[in-house]
Amino acid sequence: MAAAAPAIEVPAPRDSLAAKILRIVAKAPVQIVLAILGVLWLVPTLGLFITSLLPASAFTSSGWWQVFSHPSQLTFANYSALFHNGGMLDALKTTAYIAVGNTILVVVLGAMAGYAFAWLDFPGRDWVFIFVIALLVVPLQMALIPMFKLYDLWGIFDTVLGIILFHVAFGLPFAIFLLRNFFVGIPKYILESARIDGANEFIIFIRLMLPLGLPAIASLAIFQFLWTWNDLLVALVFGQNVQPITVWIAGQLREFGTSIDIIAPASFLSLIVPLMVFFAFQRYFVQGLLAGSVK
């Protein structure tokens, strides 16, 4: 029997130099517009950073853009004074406790519930999921007064735990919706193979669902962390002595309306932490946004 002839690989045609130039020229207007929009979007952040480096006297006499002609005005004295401010450091710690604590709870509970709605059969599963989706349209403001009374009854008003639980309650519907849509797109034969090998539901969830769902979980963690870190309304309602960084900055604005040398560096510190979290997990962000959109 004659041996089969070896397959012949046909090289893909290469684009000519003219074709590459035309492709670049065609994309150039869109890229230029996006670059301009990006620069304009960064102007407020740049202005806040430069303002945080200016003494109060320099800012009141001229705008922050004047620093380009007089760069000698820049100083880190504002940050040095801020880091020696006990109230600001306590506010940062409180914000970190609230943001990290509720993000962990939302991710863990949302992942478990999402897996249950995607792959576990139990009575009324679809109706319960519809109810969870309906909770997404409930405005947060509607629950402030009822939860205020409930927290006062339970004795958790003006505590870090109370603020965390409120954010968990309003973050779970979106978390369940997002992770359920991602988990349901995982091929069923993967779970069936694991069950044939003797794995129970807990092992399947830990060893399969969590690693495969990492893009959606990371995207959810980014959303939840950003929402909580930047929250002002909930912290104002359920906190008096417990003050996150947003409430502390608002208090400084009321008490020291002209002390821009305190407010500007504190605002920039409050801004830079969410940016660091976003850039650390940005590779998962787009994958998480598209979770469950295709199968």
Side-chain angles (χ1 to χ4, degrees):
M1 185 175 181
I8 300 176
E9 295 183 1
V10 180
R14 296 183 178 180
D15 291 338
S16 63
L17 179 60
K20 293 181 180 179
I21 294 176
L22 289 175
R23 190 182 301 115
I24 294 174
V25 171
K27 295 180 179 179
V30 176
Q31 294 175 348
I32 292 174
V33 171
L34 291 177
I36 294 175
L37 291 176
V39 171
L40 293 177
W41 188 269
L42 291 176
V43 167
T45 303
L46 177 62
L48 178 62
F49 176 65
I50 295 177
T51 302
S52 68
L53 298 177
L54 289 174
S57 58
F59 180 80
T60 54
S61 61
S62 60
W64 61 266
W65 51 88
Q66 301 295 328
V67 74
F68 295 107
S69 58
H70 300 86
S72 60
Q73 295 178 338
L74 297 178
T75 176
F76 284 96
N78 296 339
Y79 286 96
S80 177
L82 194 65
F83 280 114
H84 288 85
N85 189 314
M88 194 280 296
L89 295 179
D90 291 339
L92 277 178
K93 292 178 182 178
T94 301
T95 308
Y97 293 151
I98 294 173
V100 175
N102 95 91
T103 299
I104 293 175
L105 287 176
V106 167
V107 168
V108 172
L109 297 177
M112 295 172 64
Y115 172 69
F117 281 116
W119 293 110
L120 298 183
D121 292 326
F122 55 88
R125 181 185 67 175
D126 295 337
W127 287 107
V128 175
F129 184 68
I130 292 174
F131 175 75
V132 171
I133 299 304
L135 293 176
L136 289 171
V137 303
V138 177
L140 180 146
Q141 292 80 0
M142 290 182 59
L144 292 177
I145 295 178
M147 292 301 295
F148 177 87
K149 296 180 179 179
L150 190 63
Y151 279 10
D152 188 55
L153 179 64
W154 289 352
I156 59 174
F157 175 74
D158 197 19
T159 62
V160 172
L161 176 62
I163 299 176
I164 288 177
L165 291 179
F166 190 93
H167 285 298
V168 170
F170 276 86
L172 273 177
F174 176 75
I176 295 172
F177 171 75
L178 177 68
L179 296 181
R180 182 263 179 190
N181 286 349
F182 189 89
F183 289 154
V184 80
I186 295 176
K188 187 176 182 179
Y189 68 84
I190 297 179
L191 282 75
E192 293 176 345
S193 301
R195 292 191 179 102
I196 292 174
D197 291 338
N200 55 30
E201 299 299 334
F202 180 77
I203 297 298
I204 293 175
F205 175 73
I206 297 295
R207 302 289 296 274
L208 288 179
M209 291 293 106
L210 292 185
L212 292 175
L214 184 59
I217 292 173
S219 180
L220 171 64
I222 291 173
F223 276 122
Q224 189 65 26
F225 185 88
L226 296 182
W227 288 337
T228 309
W229 185 276
N230 295 321
D231 169 70
L232 176 62
L233 177 62
V234 175
L236 277 175
V237 173
F238 297 110
Q240 292 179 347
N241 298 319
V242 175
Q243 291 190 347
I245 187 65
T246 52
V247 178
W248 187 85
I249 294 174
Q252 298 299 310
L253 185 62
R254 291 195 301 268
E255 186 175 356
F256 307 107
T258 58
S259 296
I260 195 66
D261 54 329
I262 297 176
I263 298 172
S267 300
F268 186 77
L269 285 177
S270 177
L271 167 70
I272 200 65
V273 173
L275 285 179
M276 293 171 59
V277 172
F278 176 79
F279 285 121
F281 298 97
Q282 64 175 336
R283 60 174 178 166
Y284 300 111
F285 191 70
V286 175
Q287 299 178 49
L289 289 176
L290 298 178
S293 61
V294 294
K295 292 186 178 180

